[in-house]
Amino acid sequence: RESAVDYSDVLAALLGLHVHNDLGLSSARRDKGLMKTAVANAGLRVAKFARLTAQDGSDVPNAIKSLELDFPVVVKTPRGMSTMDVYICGSMEEAVSRSGEIVR
């Protein structure tokens, strides 16, 4: 795991290094939702997304409808790395199930 990524910017600042990322955006380096928000705030286009929090996946249908998405959709953890907990879902049932697995 890349657990040190969360702390590397703070450590660099504490050590007085002149080259490090903006401390205000450190969390966005690992959280895909925060990262997309930061990128959008910088004026760049990002893919549509929703932060899902229901442990049973019940918020998935509303998110797909409000974002006007078609299947397949991608459901993934906000803080994973590589392809950990990344699913390409071909149906509503699969998206609800995978989201519930991730949120639990």
Side-chain angles (χ1 to χ4, degrees):
R1 281 193 81 140
E2 299 172 335
S3 57
V5 171
D6 292 331
Y7 305 105
S8 62
D9 292 329
V10 175
L11 182 59
L14 290 173
L15 291 173
L17 302 178
H18 297 286
V19 180
H20 59 79
N21 293 306
D22 181 343
L23 293 179
L25 296 174
S26 289
S27 295
R29 291 181 65 207
R30 295 286 296 154
D31 185 298
K32 293 170 186 77
L34 294 176
M35 185 183 304
K36 285 186 172 197
T37 300
V39 169
N41 288 341
L44 301 172
R45 293 181 350 170
V46 297
K48 298 175 184 178
F49 74 100
R51 186 168 300 266
L52 305 171
T53 58
Q55 291 185 352
D56 62 355
S58 61
D59 50 356
V60 171
N62 187 49
I64 289 174
K65 182 180 178 183
S66 67
L67 294 173
E68 300 177 342
L69 299 177
D70 296 317
F71 289 96
V73 297
V74 177
V75 175
K76 59 186 177 178
T77 182
R79 292 192 57 86
M81 61 182 184
S82 185
T83 58
M84 181 181 86
D85 287 331
V86 176
Y87 304 100
I88 299 172
C89 303
S91 69
M92 186 67 73
E93 294 77 21
E94 184 181 12
V96 167
S97 174
R98 294 298 191 179
S99 177
E101 291 173 21
I102 292 169
V103 173
R104 278 185 227 125

